[in-house]
Amino acid sequence: MPQAEYAAALKAGKKDIQTRAAAGLPTELPALDALLEGIEIRGETPLGLVDIPTAQIVGTKTRSRTTSFAPNFMPILDEGSEFAMKWDSLCGAHLNEGIREPIKAYEYLNRYYVLEGNKRVSVMKYFGAASIPGYVTRIIPAWKDTPEIRIYYEFLDFYNETNIGQIGFTREGSYRKLTHLTGHRSNERWSLNDRIDFRSCFNLFTEAFEDLGGKKLSCTAGDAFLTYLSLYGYEAAKQETSAGFRNNLKKLWEEIELNFRDAAPEEKLDMKLDPTPDPRKGLISKVLTAPSSSAKKVTRIAFIHTKTTDSSSWTYAHELGRMYVNDVFHGEVITSAYENNITDADALSAIERAIADGNTVIFTTTPVFLTASIKSAIEHPEVRILNCSLNTSHKYIRTYYARMFEAKLLNGVLAGILTDTNRIGYIADYPITSVPATIDAFAIGVKMVNPQARIFLEWSTTKENEGVNLTEKFYNMGATYISHLDMIVPRRATRQYGLYHIHDGELINLAFPVLDWGKYYERIIRNILLGTWNAESKSDAKKAVSYFWGMSSGVVDVVWSHTIPSETRNLLESLKRSITRYDFKPFSGILHSQEGTVQPDPQGSLSTSEIIAIDWLADNIEGNIPSVNDLIPGAQAVVRQEGIRREDDTE
């Protein structure tokens, strides 16, 4: 029996070498001594006796035994060799009584290299054992500011809290995210039961993931597990069966493939900067696009909001867009709103109600509902779900937002022209994706016409500013021109929105950006009714689709006060036309942040993906981007979902 097992293991070893040679990959088992040549080591730490995950045993400590094994640790020496006889003996021992004698190994970068017990590892890997006991010494590399070392130091913190070494990630911040998703706080020691539950859950998940072909993906089982937990939750995962994991993973597979494709963001995301033109022209197109009250088929569309129109300018703006859609389509489309959904559970429930009510298109109007949107879309592939967010690539939903930084740049130009103190106030709300871009665009606009002016930045959602009258704060420091919210909140009388000026105690509104959600929704819905929607996704099936429209689409504009001098308005309108035609790009030329130069080429400009991902502030801004823990509780949920400082969360 053992001899037959060795023959099968030998065949697997030779096949692994052939496969790797054909792919141009190394065909020898890695030796840690060779890997450490030239590497600065901070120190060594004995971990004692631990259960070593066999999947993470990738090599030997020394070069002496690398010629006995293929990279998958299967034997490659002839069946008649002394090595084969010893391997056979260990195989028999494992089948009869199990291998219990610990190996000795070194751990480096969360991978293990065997010092003693290579054949035991080979036998255990052949039989698919999940782990093997071993005495482990950890080799800690000196700190180096590279992704690999940064991730490893995050792992060390996680290991100190959990004593769990079986999970690895390819992206920074993943260990902190895992800690949060499992209901723990950073620096909190896990109990023995916590560790047992996690290991059991993750092992079951890994088995299902690898059975479905997970090893062929460019991500680890840990990466996929994190995606899974983000949608289904840890408490549900702990109760899941192997069959349940497989079933859910099959639904989620394309999402995992897309998220962890080894490609640049623009290669994973089809960013639509303008509405897709209707391919049908002439009379037929006009008839098809004309609203018709006699249409036989009525499309039901739902809007899921986190707040009410009375309490939120954001919800109010989207509701104005929904009512516009009702008027434009004259009964061909019936819309409904589901308001005041605070939590993920509320959002999921609202989406389910909307689907039960017959809605086949659903807009979730806040980034907070991203997870609920994806989960619902996976369970209901027949429903089109769109989430109002940015900087995400998801296969099962589409995202949409607007290039508000174009309008903010124009407001910045106006503020830079009019300021009489060279001090300008800027009030921001949530430090989420795209918000730094709008702040920086405003600052760039100021600098274009007034290099001496400074922008003083405050966040209305920080604990420090809770209950503070920021307009008064700015005025007292000499900033009489202030940029605030883009819209007013219904039934809350205030003129503190857009760009305004304080003069002799009087507040004068000068300009405010306009995001016309009605036109935005009209164009998306018309694409759906005409079939353009399907053509967009078929153009590149491997990419997610996101809409990011701006002034060129007519959905973003600026309203000017009549008090602005005509000469100044002519300048602003000329600049607006240049932006609309793409003749002028707000983030072009040499750009400086508070830390240094971010765009050194006078003829260059940031790409759309680079603009969306901006996490820096321009050098003429006084202020910073707050962390999650700096924010009031109500803002933290938004930032944990869509924030640019999520990695700072230590709660």
Side-chain angles (χ1 to χ4, degrees):
M1 179 73 174
Q3 290 180 345
E5 301 292 357
Y6 186 83
L10 178 64
K11 183 178 179 180
K14 291 182 176 180
K15 182 179 179 181
D16 183 51
I17 290 177
Q18 292 172 352
T19 301
R20 294 176 67 85
L25 299 173
T27 57
E28 290 188 355
L29 195 65
L32 181 59
D33 287 345
L35 293 176
L36 293 179
E37 291 178 359
I39 301 295
E40 184 181 355
I41 300 302
R42 195 183 79 180
E44 296 186 2
T45 301
L47 301 182
L49 182 63
V50 301
D51 279 331
I52 305 173
T54 53
Q56 291 167 244
I57 301 176
V58 298
T60 61
K61 174 64 168 61
T62 65
R63 293 185 176 93
S64 60
R65 301 314 299 264
T66 57
T67 57
S68 302
F69 304 95
N72 63 355
F73 247 104
M74 292 300 100
I76 55 175
L77 300 183
D78 292 340
E79 292 183 63
S81 64
E82 181 183 355
F83 177 92
M85 294 175 60
K86 292 180 179 178
W87 197 98
D88 284 340
S89 177
L90 282 171
C91 180
H94 174 70
L95 293 174
N96 292 327
E97 56 191 49
I99 295 177
R100 298 186 179 89
E101 184 181 356
I103 66 170
K104 292 183 179 180
Y106 284 81
E107 181 261 301
Y108 176 69
L109 297 180
N110 203 15
R111 290 180 284 273
Y112 295 83
Y113 301 83
V114 183
L115 178 64
E116 294 180 9
N118 292 290
K119 288 186 286 294
R120 275 170 276 168
V121 170
S122 180
V123 170
M124 297 293 274
K125 276 182 172 280
Y126 173 77
F127 284 104
S131 63
I132 184 170
Y135 292 100
V136 175
T137 300
R138 170 171 288 154
I139 297 178
I140 304 175
W143 170 256
K144 191 176 181 180
D145 195 14
T146 64
E148 184 178 41
I149 298 300
R150 290 197 298 266
I151 291 173
Y152 184 67
Y153 270 70
E154 289 178 9
F155 161 73
L156 293 179
D157 290 338
F158 178 78
Y159 188 89
N160 287 337
E161 297 162 7
T162 65
N163 285 109
I164 294 172
Q166 69 193 99
I167 188 166
F169 298 107
T170 61
R171 293 178 178 174
E172 295 177 59
S174 295
Y175 287 103
R176 281 188 286 269
K177 185 175 181 181
L178 177 64
T179 298
H180 175 70
L181 288 174
T182 54
H184 294 87
R185 296 188 178 193
S186 295
N187 303 317
E188 176 189 349
R189 288 288 298 174
W190 288 26
S191 69
L192 178 60
N193 287 337
D194 288 337
R195 299 175 207 167
I196 292 173
D197 287 346
F198 181 85
R199 289 191 177 103
S200 175
C201 179
F202 182 64
N203 286 341
L204 207 58
F205 174 88
T206 301
E207 180 182 346
F209 176 70
E210 293 181 351
D211 284 348
L212 292 172
K215 289 184 177 180
K216 298 179 181 178
L217 301 183
S218 58
C219 68
T220 66
D223 292 327
F225 189 56
L226 207 57
T227 300
Y228 186 96
L229 294 185
S230 297
L231 294 176
Y232 292 98
Y234 183 53
E235 291 305 315
K238 286 194 297 184
Q239 307 301 319
E240 197 56 84
T241 63
S242 179
F245 275 130
R246 287 177 62 90
N247 183 53
N248 291 336
L249 273 171
K250 286 178 182 178
K251 298 176 184 177
L252 189 60
W253 202 256
E254 289 187 26
E255 179 81 0
I256 295 172
E257 284 184 311
L258 175 67
N259 285 343
F260 293 99
R261 273 178 57 196
D262 187 16
E266 57 269 18
E267 295 177 2
K268 296 191 291 185
L269 182 64
D270 186 5
M271 185 75 72
K272 306 291 186 182
L273 299 182
D274 289 292
T276 302
D278 177 16
R280 289 170 281 194
K281 304 296 182 181
L283 179 61
I284 295 178
S285 178
K286 291 179 181 178
V287 171
L288 287 171
T289 58
S292 171
S293 59
S294 61
K296 293 182 180 179
K297 184 178 180 181
V298 175
T299 301
R300 294 183 177 273
I301 300 175
F303 291 75
I304 314 295
H305 305 308
T306 187
K307 295 182 180 179
T308 66
T309 55
D310 290 342
S311 62
S312 166
S313 61
W314 181 259
T315 298
Y316 179 61
H318 285 275
E319 271 297 278
L320 290 178
R322 183 180 71 85
M323 289 185 282
Y324 175 89
V325 166
N326 282 338
D327 291 339
V328 166
F329 288 96
H330 299 295
E332 189 179 1
V333 166
I334 296 177
T335 70
S336 53
Y338 298 76
E339 293 186 338
N340 209 30
N341 300 288
I342 308 301
T343 66
D344 266 355
D346 293 336
L348 279 169
S349 177
I351 294 172
E352 289 297 323
R353 291 201 313 273
I355 294 172
D357 291 341
N359 293 281
T360 57
V361 179
I362 296 175
F363 293 98
T364 56
T365 61
T366 171
V368 177
F369 293 164
L370 179 63
T371 298
S373 300
I374 299 169
K375 187 172 182 180
S376 297
I378 291 171
E379 297 298 327
H380 301 279
E382 75 284 359
V383 179
R384 294 180 173 96
I385 298 179
L386 301 95
N387 176 252
C388 188
S389 61
L390 263 180
N391 205 31
T392 55
S393 303
H394 298 288
K395 190 65 180 175
Y396 302 99
I397 67 170
R398 296 189 185 183
T399 56
Y400 63 100
Y401 202 67
R403 302 196 297 271
M404 294 303 294
F405 62 84
E406 296 174 342
K408 286 290 189 177
L409 180 130
L410 296 175
N411 276 13
V413 170
L414 179 60
I417 291 172
L418 298 179
T419 180
D420 50 357
T421 65
N422 282 341
R423 288 172 169 253
I424 300 168
Y426 193 108
I427 302 173
D429 49 10
Y430 300 100
I432 61 176
T433 302
S434 84
V435 169
T438 62
I439 299 170
D440 287 339
F442 181 90
I444 290 170
V446 170
K447 197 172 187 179
M448 287 171 62
V449 294
N450 189 345
Q452 285 73 44
R454 305 292 294 177
I455 294 93
F456 293 83
L457 173 65
E458 294 286 351
W459 299 83
S460 62
T461 55
T462 61
K463 297 172 184 175
E464 179 183 359
N465 286 330
E466 189 173 13
V468 175
N469 186 329
L470 294 176
T471 294
E472 183 177 324
K473 179 178 180 178
F474 282 136
Y475 182 74
N476 290 336
M477 64 183 294
T480 59
Y481 286 84
I482 301 169
S483 176
H484 202 343
L485 300 176
D486 296 341
M487 283 196 67
I488 59 173
V489 179
R491 302 183 186 179
R492 292 186 186 177
T494 181
R495 299 189 67 176
Q496 297 182 29
Y497 63 92
L499 178 68
Y500 52 89
H501 176 48
I502 304 175
H503 180 68
D504 291 337
E506 181 183 1
L507 193 152
I508 304 167
N509 294 101
L510 299 170
F512 65 90
V514 174
L515 203 177
D516 193 333
W517 286 116
K519 290 182 180 178
Y520 210 134
Y521 287 127
E522 177 194 359
R523 296 299 296 270
I524 293 178
I525 293 168
R526 210 174 284 286
N527 283 353
I528 293 172
L529 298 180
L530 294 173
T532 309
W533 169 282
N534 296 329
E536 288 176 339
S537 59
K538 290 178 181 177
S539 61
D540 192 336
K542 293 185 178 181
K543 290 185 178 183
V545 176
S546 181
Y547 305 110
F548 193 38
W549 300 346
M551 286 184 168
S552 60
S553 308
V555 301
V556 174
D557 204 346
V558 180
V559 174
W560 313 111
S561 167
H562 69 278
T563 62
I564 298 174
S566 60
E567 295 83 359
T568 301
R569 190 184 307 198
N570 288 339
L571 171 64
L572 294 168
E573 288 292 341
S574 176
L575 185 55
K576 184 174 77 171
R577 287 192 295 271
S578 295
I579 294 173
T580 300
R581 295 192 300 262
Y582 294 107
D583 292 335
F584 174 75
K585 297 180 180 180
F587 291 93
S588 60
I590 299 175
L591 301 173
H592 299 282
S593 75
Q594 293 172 335
E595 286 76 34
T597 303
V598 293
Q599 168 29 40
D601 184 1
Q603 306 303 318
S605 61
L606 299 186
S607 67
T608 301
S609 59
E610 288 173 330
I611 294 171
I612 293 172
I614 284 176
D615 60 356
W616 47 268
L617 296 175
D619 62 348
N620 58 338
I621 296 175
E622 302 287 343
N624 55 41
I625 300 174
S627 70
V628 176
N629 296 321
D630 293 330
L631 304 174
I632 59 176
Q636 291 186 7
V638 178
V639 176
R640 285 194 178 101
Q641 180 66 64
E642 191 73 2
I644 56 173
R645 287 289 187 266
R646 283 171 286 184
E647 71 277 7
D648 292 336
D649 182 15
T650 57
E651 291 301 317

